[in-house]
Amino acid sequence: MDNKYLGLTPPMGWNSWNTFTWEINEQLIMQAADAFVEYGLKDAGYEYVVIDDCWSEKQRDENGRLVPDKTKFPNGMKAVADYVHSKGLKFGMYSCAGTHTCAGYPGSFEHEFEDAATFAEWGVDYLKYDYCYKPDFIPGEVLYKRMAMALRNCGRDIIFSACNWGNDNVHRWIRESGAHLFRSTGDIQDNWESIKNLALSQMGQECYGGNYCHNDIDMLVVGMHGGSNNEWINASGDGAAPKLGGCTDTEYKTHFSLWALMNSPLMIGCDIRKMSEATREILTNQDVISINQDIECRGAYRIKQWNNPENVFSLIKLMSDGSYAIGMFNFGDRTSEMSLQFWDMGLPTASGRGFDMYDCWKHENLGKYSERFVTNIEPHDCLVLRARLVNMK
């Protein structure tokens, strides 16, 4: 591989699945690339425009090669990739470790090397690799190693996104397989319960992610507001029959903050052509993005609120410049206090030092604090701080 920095920090981009599922075509992908530039996503650091499932014909050609759907992509994938590249962006596609993709299209099982060569020929920069229809008698670990081998030797730098939904103890073997990111959860839904449950499921897994192999908590639902054609994405999350989903902008802000602090890839899932101003402001917040993109990619540890430990906690992430990113979260349904004691971070009061606090959502300095920082957090809301060590004497 020519780019030794490929996958150094979590990828940032957009994926078609959450909103559009099977309703994709070359015009949509080109419009998405246009939106990256027009609405400031490219300037904010997003670079991958990724097509998910349902892009191909149902059968391979007579030479065993994948064939783009002639109706959806009449000019072929190379033309789409060239357009995305012309915008200064990178192009991503989808395949599957099984015999078929989750939607029933040809998978890459036993076609790994020819498919990797095809993707390279088309100008692909990112491959999401799913886990449906995997033969039971072959370990998934072997299949991800196989595709990683093919991609590493296809003649093009391609980010490898392993999407096995957290199965098969993936945390324990995925780094050595060669993947740049790995799905550690089931599919996200566009509702608060899904966001909360996915985040909680990964607490304690911080040691498995890092540079070149990032823990992927699934794509963002920020700004979707129930706007998917997929009943699962729009499900209520309460066990009832599927119904229109969606979150408040406050819940989306919390969602984005969690994913940023937990070093998850930031892959947008809403219709970026129709983003509200609130959605755009969340997705392009440079103070929060910089936490996610810190060069050292250190995991965040959790400190719970002593009198409401099930709902209120802080995530603490050491940054490469010696500062700390601090996210304070309230998963409960009532306003609650979060009191962060600095000695729990390793800072004794006797040192004469404290923290100078900066609010990453209000973009303002909050002043200097010694011993502790206390605030009230509204339900489903958060506070994200950048704390710099200072001498209080």
Side-chain angles (χ1 to χ4, degrees), residues 188-189 191-203 255 258-259 310-311 313 330-333 380:
I188 196 169
Q189 293 174 286
N191 61 69
W192 171 247
E193 284 299 310
S194 177
I195 291 167
K196 180 177 72 172
N197 291 337
L198 290 186
L200 290 174
S201 76
Q202 293 310 298
M203 301 292 175
H255 169 33
L258 285 162
W259 266 231
E310 298 305 313
N311 293 311
F313 61 91
N330 182 1
F331 280 6
D333 296 324
H380 306 181

mmCIF file of all heavy atoms in Angstrom, residues 188-189 191-203 255 258-259 310-311 313 330-333 380:
data_model
loop_
_atom_site.group_PDB
_atom_site.id
_atom_site.type_symbol
_atom_site.label_atom_id
_atom_site.label_comp_id
_atom_site.label_asym_id
_atom_site.label_seq_id
_atom_site.Cartn_x
_atom_site.Cartn_y
_atom_site.Cartn_z
ATOM 1 N N ILE A 188 -28.076 0.217 13.732
ATOM 2 C CA ILE A 188 -28.658 1.340 14.443
ATOM 3 C C ILE A 188 -30.069 1.609 13.934
ATOM 4 O O ILE A 188 -30.409 1.290 12.790
ATOM 5 C CB ILE A 188 -27.777 2.598 14.281
ATOM 6 C CG1 ILE A 188 -28.150 3.663 15.325
ATOM 7 C CG2 ILE A 188 -27.874 3.155 12.857
ATOM 8 C CD1 ILE A 188 -27.152 4.817 15.381
ATOM 9 N N GLN A 189 -30.914 2.168 14.804
ATOM 10 C CA GLN A 189 -32.231 2.662 14.410
ATOM 11 C C GLN A 189 -32.304 4.152 14.715
ATOM 12 O O GLN A 189 -31.555 4.675 15.551
ATOM 13 C CB GLN A 189 -33.337 1.923 15.173
ATOM 14 C CG GLN A 189 -33.460 0.455 14.829
ATOM 15 C CD GLN A 189 -34.483 -0.241 15.720
ATOM 16 O OE1 GLN A 189 -34.235 -0.501 16.900
ATOM 17 N NE2 GLN A 189 -35.632 -0.531 15.158
ATOM 18 N N ASN A 191 -33.779 6.202 16.595
ATOM 19 C CA ASN A 191 -34.513 6.543 17.823
ATOM 20 C C ASN A 191 -33.541 6.566 18.993
ATOM 21 O O ASN A 191 -32.438 6.005 18.927
ATOM 22 C CB ASN A 191 -35.669 5.561 18.066
ATOM 23 C CG ASN A 191 -35.206 4.137 18.247
ATOM 24 O OD1 ASN A 191 -34.566 3.792 19.243
ATOM 25 N ND2 ASN A 191 -35.517 3.283 17.268
ATOM 26 N N TRP A 192 -33.940 7.228 20.051
ATOM 27 C CA TRP A 192 -33.073 7.440 21.200
ATOM 28 C C TRP A 192 -32.659 6.128 21.866
ATOM 29 O O TRP A 192 -31.499 5.962 22.264
ATOM 30 C CB TRP A 192 -33.750 8.357 22.205
ATOM 31 C CG TRP A 192 -33.027 8.452 23.511
ATOM 32 C CD1 TRP A 192 -33.437 8.006 24.730
ATOM 33 C CD2 TRP A 192 -31.724 9.023 23.728
ATOM 34 N NE1 TRP A 192 -32.484 8.255 25.687
ATOM 35 C CE2 TRP A 192 -31.424 8.886 25.100
ATOM 36 C CE3 TRP A 192 -30.782 9.630 22.886
ATOM 37 C CZ2 TRP A 192 -30.226 9.330 25.658
ATOM 38 C CZ3 TRP A 192 -29.581 10.074 23.442
ATOM 39 C CH2 TRP A 192 -29.321 9.925 24.809
ATOM 40 N N GLU A 193 -33.577 5.179 22.015
ATOM 41 C CA GLU A 193 -33.254 3.926 22.683
ATOM 42 C C GLU A 193 -32.141 3.180 21.952
ATOM 43 O O GLU A 193 -31.255 2.588 22.573
ATOM 44 C CB GLU A 193 -34.501 3.041 22.784
ATOM 45 C CG GLU A 193 -35.477 3.489 23.859
ATOM 46 C CD GLU A 193 -34.870 3.452 25.253
ATOM 47 O OE1 GLU A 193 -34.287 2.415 25.613
ATOM 48 O OE2 GLU A 193 -34.961 4.475 25.967
ATOM 49 N N SER A 194 -32.163 3.195 20.638
ATOM 50 C CA SER A 194 -31.138 2.528 19.861
ATOM 51 C C SER A 194 -29.779 3.180 20.073
ATOM 52 O O SER A 194 -28.773 2.499 20.310
ATOM 53 C CB SER A 194 -31.500 2.539 18.374
ATOM 54 O OG SER A 194 -30.483 1.948 17.595
ATOM 55 N N ILE A 195 -29.742 4.496 20.001
ATOM 56 C CA ILE A 195 -28.488 5.221 20.218
ATOM 57 C C ILE A 195 -27.918 4.906 21.596
ATOM 58 O O ILE A 195 -26.731 4.577 21.746
ATOM 59 C CB ILE A 195 -28.733 6.733 20.073
ATOM 60 C CG1 ILE A 195 -29.052 7.088 18.616
ATOM 61 C CG2 ILE A 195 -27.536 7.537 20.580
ATOM 62 C CD1 ILE A 195 -29.612 8.483 18.422
ATOM 63 N N LYS A 196 -28.767 4.990 22.606
ATOM 64 C CA LYS A 196 -28.342 4.746 23.986
ATOM 65 C C LYS A 196 -27.821 3.319 24.151
ATOM 66 O O LYS A 196 -26.743 3.101 24.726
ATOM 67 C CB LYS A 196 -29.518 5.002 24.939
ATOM 68 C CG LYS A 196 -29.186 4.783 26.404
ATOM 69 C CD LYS A 196 -30.368 5.122 27.307
ATOM 70 C CE LYS A 196 -31.467 4.094 27.210
ATOM 71 N NZ LYS A 196 -32.521 4.329 28.228
ATOM 72 N N ASN A 197 -28.557 2.350 23.645
ATOM 73 C CA ASN A 197 -28.179 0.952 23.837
ATOM 74 C C ASN A 197 -26.890 0.589 23.096
ATOM 75 O O ASN A 197 -26.070 -0.183 23.602
ATOM 76 C CB ASN A 197 -29.320 0.029 23.399
ATOM 77 C CG ASN A 197 -30.523 0.116 24.324
ATOM 78 O OD1 ASN A 197 -30.404 0.500 25.490
ATOM 79 N ND2 ASN A 197 -31.698 -0.210 23.809
ATOM 80 N N LEU A 198 -26.717 1.131 21.897
ATOM 81 C CA LEU A 198 -25.486 0.853 21.156
ATOM 82 C C LEU A 198 -24.277 1.440 21.882
ATOM 83 O O LEU A 198 -23.224 0.790 21.994
ATOM 84 C CB LEU A 198 -25.563 1.403 19.739
ATOM 85 C CG LEU A 198 -26.524 0.698 18.776
ATOM 86 C CD1 LEU A 198 -26.374 1.282 17.370
ATOM 87 C CD2 LEU A 198 -26.290 -0.799 18.731
ATOM 88 N N ALA A 199 -24.420 2.675 22.370
ATOM 89 C CA ALA A 199 -23.312 3.298 23.087
ATOM 90 C C ALA A 199 -22.959 2.496 24.339
ATOM 91 O O ALA A 199 -21.782 2.199 24.597
ATOM 92 C CB ALA A 199 -23.666 4.733 23.455
ATOM 93 N N LEU A 200 -23.960 2.123 25.118
ATOM 94 C CA LEU A 200 -23.705 1.370 26.353
ATOM 95 C C LEU A 200 -23.080 0.007 26.066
ATOM 96 O O LEU A 200 -22.264 -0.488 26.852
ATOM 97 C CB LEU A 200 -25.002 1.196 27.135
ATOM 98 C CG LEU A 200 -25.574 2.460 27.784
ATOM 99 C CD1 LEU A 200 -26.941 2.176 28.404
ATOM 100 C CD2 LEU A 200 -24.618 2.997 28.855
ATOM 101 N N SER A 201 -23.437 -0.592 24.934
ATOM 102 C CA SER A 201 -22.908 -1.919 24.616
ATOM 103 C C SER A 201 -21.401 -1.907 24.411
ATOM 104 O O SER A 201 -20.749 -2.950 24.500
ATOM 105 C CB SER A 201 -23.590 -2.476 23.358
ATOM 106 O OG SER A 201 -23.084 -1.864 22.176
ATOM 107 N N GLN A 202 -20.841 -0.733 24.119
ATOM 108 C CA GLN A 202 -19.407 -0.654 23.829
ATOM 109 C C GLN A 202 -18.588 -0.078 24.978
ATOM 110 O O GLN A 202 -17.364 0.083 24.848
ATOM 111 C CB GLN A 202 -19.186 0.168 22.558
ATOM 112 C CG GLN A 202 -19.726 -0.499 21.316
ATOM 113 C CD GLN A 202 -19.267 -1.934 21.189
ATOM 114 O OE1 GLN A 202 -18.072 -2.204 21.078
ATOM 115 N NE2 GLN A 202 -20.200 -2.880 21.235
ATOM 116 N N MET A 203 -19.240 0.255 26.090
ATOM 117 C CA MET A 203 -18.489 0.684 27.263
ATOM 118 C C MET A 203 -17.654 -0.495 27.770
ATOM 119 O O MET A 203 -18.160 -1.603 27.941
ATOM 120 C CB MET A 203 -19.439 1.163 28.364
ATOM 121 C CG MET A 203 -20.329 2.328 27.967
ATOM 122 S SD MET A 203 -19.403 3.845 27.711
ATOM 123 C CE MET A 203 -20.724 4.934 27.116
ATOM 124 N N HIS A 255 -25.900 11.982 20.379
ATOM 125 C CA HIS A 255 -25.458 10.865 19.522
ATOM 126 C C HIS A 255 -24.118 11.185 18.872
ATOM 127 O O HIS A 255 -23.157 10.392 18.940
ATOM 128 C CB HIS A 255 -26.554 10.644 18.483
ATOM 129 C CG HIS A 255 -26.224 9.741 17.342
ATOM 130 N ND1 HIS A 255 -25.391 8.648 17.428
ATOM 131 C CD2 HIS A 255 -26.660 9.779 16.044
ATOM 132 C CE1 HIS A 255 -25.332 8.044 16.251
ATOM 133 N NE2 HIS A 255 -26.065 8.719 15.407
ATOM 134 N N LEU A 258 -21.266 11.268 21.489
ATOM 135 C CA LEU A 258 -20.877 9.929 21.913
ATOM 136 C C LEU A 258 -19.979 9.263 20.883
ATOM 137 O O LEU A 258 -18.908 8.735 21.210
ATOM 138 C CB LEU A 258 -22.120 9.071 22.146
ATOM 139 C CG LEU A 258 -22.916 9.328 23.414
ATOM 140 C CD1 LEU A 258 -24.310 8.734 23.292
ATOM 141 C CD2 LEU A 258 -22.194 8.738 24.638
ATOM 142 N N TRP A 259 -20.398 9.271 19.627
ATOM 143 C CA TRP A 259 -19.630 8.618 18.569
ATOM 144 C C TRP A 259 -18.246 9.271 18.431
ATOM 145 O O TRP A 259 -17.247 8.588 18.205
ATOM 146 C CB TRP A 259 -20.392 8.676 17.253
ATOM 147 C CG TRP A 259 -21.241 7.488 16.932
ATOM 148 C CD1 TRP A 259 -21.227 6.777 15.757
ATOM 149 C CD2 TRP A 259 -22.247 6.845 17.746
ATOM 150 N NE1 TRP A 259 -22.152 5.763 15.797
ATOM 151 C CE2 TRP A 259 -22.795 5.776 17.005
ATOM 152 C CE3 TRP A 259 -22.736 7.078 19.025
ATOM 153 C CZ2 TRP A 259 -23.793 4.936 17.503
ATOM 154 C CZ3 TRP A 259 -23.743 6.256 19.528
ATOM 155 C CH2 TRP A 259 -24.251 5.202 18.782
ATOM 156 N N GLU A 310 -26.558 4.805 36.789
ATOM 157 C CA GLU A 310 -27.099 4.092 35.629
ATOM 158 C C GLU A 310 -27.399 5.024 34.460
ATOM 159 O O GLU A 310 -27.482 4.577 33.316
ATOM 160 C CB GLU A 310 -28.379 3.338 36.032
ATOM 161 C CG GLU A 310 -28.154 2.279 37.108
ATOM 162 C CD GLU A 310 -27.083 1.293 36.695
ATOM 163 O OE1 GLU A 310 -27.123 0.807 35.545
ATOM 164 O OE2 GLU A 310 -26.194 1.002 37.523
ATOM 165 N N ASN A 311 -27.555 6.312 34.754
ATOM 166 C CA ASN A 311 -27.988 7.245 33.718
ATOM 167 C C ASN A 311 -27.008 8.364 33.408
ATOM 168 O O ASN A 311 -27.008 8.885 32.290
ATOM 169 C CB ASN A 311 -29.325 7.889 34.113
ATOM 170 C CG ASN A 311 -30.464 6.903 34.144
ATOM 171 O OD1 ASN A 311 -30.654 6.143 33.190
ATOM 172 N ND2 ASN A 311 -31.227 6.887 35.229
ATOM 173 N N PHE A 313 -23.076 9.989 33.420
ATOM 174 C CA PHE A 313 -21.662 9.635 33.449
ATOM 175 C C PHE A 313 -20.865 10.604 32.587
ATOM 176 O O PHE A 313 -21.418 11.354 31.774
ATOM 177 C CB PHE A 313 -21.448 8.205 32.939
ATOM 178 C CG PHE A 313 -21.895 7.984 31.523
ATOM 179 C CD1 PHE A 313 -21.019 8.151 30.463
ATOM 180 C CD2 PHE A 313 -23.207 7.617 31.245
ATOM 181 C CE1 PHE A 313 -21.425 7.961 29.153
ATOM 182 C CE2 PHE A 313 -23.631 7.417 29.937
ATOM 183 C CZ PHE A 313 -22.731 7.585 28.894
ATOM 184 N N ASN A 330 -26.410 12.533 30.018
ATOM 185 C CA ASN A 330 -27.567 12.158 30.833
ATOM 186 C C ASN A 330 -28.483 11.286 29.992
ATOM 187 O O ASN A 330 -29.209 11.779 29.132
ATOM 188 C CB ASN A 330 -28.311 13.413 31.319
ATOM 189 C CG ASN A 330 -29.499 13.071 32.208
ATOM 190 O OD1 ASN A 330 -29.774 11.904 32.490
ATOM 191 N ND2 ASN A 330 -30.214 14.094 32.655
ATOM 192 N N PHE A 331 -28.454 9.981 30.243
ATOM 193 C CA PHE A 331 -29.313 9.047 29.520
ATOM 194 C C PHE A 331 -30.686 8.925 30.158
ATOM 195 O O PHE A 331 -31.549 8.209 29.637
ATOM 196 C CB PHE A 331 -28.654 7.661 29.477
ATOM 197 C CG PHE A 331 -27.583 7.516 28.424
ATOM 198 C CD1 PHE A 331 -27.161 8.596 27.667
ATOM 199 C CD2 PHE A 331 -27.001 6.277 28.179
ATOM 200 C CE1 PHE A 331 -26.176 8.449 26.694
ATOM 201 C CE2 PHE A 331 -26.020 6.110 27.208
ATOM 202 C CZ PHE A 331 -25.613 7.209 26.467
ATOM 203 N N GLY A 332 -30.905 9.585 31.268
ATOM 204 C CA GLY A 332 -32.177 9.488 31.974
ATOM 205 C C GLY A 332 -33.232 10.425 31.425
ATOM 206 O O GLY A 332 -32.997 11.197 30.479
ATOM 207 N N ASP A 333 -34.403 10.388 32.045
ATOM 208 C CA ASP A 333 -35.558 11.174 31.580
ATOM 209 C C ASP A 333 -35.873 12.362 32.476
ATOM 210 O O ASP A 333 -36.945 12.956 32.379
ATOM 211 C CB ASP A 333 -36.788 10.258 31.475
ATOM 212 C CG ASP A 333 -36.606 9.164 30.434
ATOM 213 O OD1 ASP A 333 -35.967 9.447 29.403
ATOM 214 O OD2 ASP A 333 -37.087 8.039 30.656
ATOM 215 N N HIS A 380 -31.382 13.380 28.093
ATOM 216 C CA HIS A 380 -30.894 12.993 26.766
ATOM 217 C C HIS A 380 -29.905 14.007 26.181
ATOM 218 O O HIS A 380 -29.591 13.951 24.994
ATOM 219 C CB HIS A 380 -32.050 12.798 25.779
ATOM 220 C CG HIS A 380 -33.088 11.836 26.254
ATOM 221 N ND1 HIS A 380 -34.199 11.512 25.496
ATOM 222 C CD2 HIS A 380 -33.218 11.115 27.414
ATOM 223 C CE1 HIS A 380 -34.958 10.651 26.165
ATOM 224 N NE2 HIS A 380 -34.363 10.399 27.333
#
